[in-house]
Amino acid sequence: MAHWVDTYPHEVYASVLLLDNKIYNYKIGQHYWEYPFQVKMRYSDFDKLDKMEAKYTSFTVENDEEHENAFRIHAREWFKQWEIHKENIGSKPY
């Protein structure tokens, strides 16, 4: 069975977890986040769950170049509509 990356067309998803409408965490890949409780976060931040919101978008890709661009260009541009939260997890999305 072929890996999802090698089967075209396919969707690439960009997801964000927002805290106070700023990026707390993000991911790009085969799956997306619909709800905050699906996302990796610090145990100490669980009390902020009611202030968090998950959002996602998708990019349909038809070949290797479009797949790469979804990760390197399109998802990062989509993330730029939000500031990065001072308590963000991991690397910055842009």
Side-chain angles (χ1 to χ4, degrees):
M1 179 177 221
H3 191 270
W4 76 278
V5 171
D6 299 321
T7 306
Y8 293 102
H10 67 254
E11 299 294 315
V12 174
Y13 296 96
S15 300
V16 290
L17 179 63
L18 303 173
L19 173 58
D20 301 324
N21 206 39
K22 295 179 182 177
I23 297 175
Y24 173 84
N25 200 350
Y26 75 98
K27 80 171 193 169
I28 308 168
Q30 179 183 13
H31 303 287
Y32 57 89
W33 297 325
E34 285 186 85
Y35 308 104
F37 60 81
Q38 294 174 298
V39 183
K40 176 183 173 184
M41 67 179 69
R42 293 178 200 89
Y43 181 74
S44 60
D45 291 336
F46 283 166
D47 64 335
K48 299 174 186 162
L49 203 56
D50 62 336
K51 296 180 184 178
M52 294 181 174
E53 179 181 13
K55 293 186 180 244
Y56 68 92
T57 192
S58 66
F59 309 98
T60 302
V61 299
E62 303 284 343
N63 56 50
D64 290 345
E65 183 179 358
E66 289 180 8
H67 178 90
E68 181 70 21
N69 288 341
F71 278 81
R72 288 186 324 104
I73 299 168
H74 305 306
R76 298 195 187 297
E77 286 300 314
W78 184 73
F79 294 140
K80 288 181 180 179
Q81 65 186 298
W82 298 284
E83 293 179 37
I84 299 169
H85 200 282
K86 65 181 179 182
E87 298 173 20
N88 75 294
I89 290 182
S91 63
K92 299 194 178 356
Y94 57 85

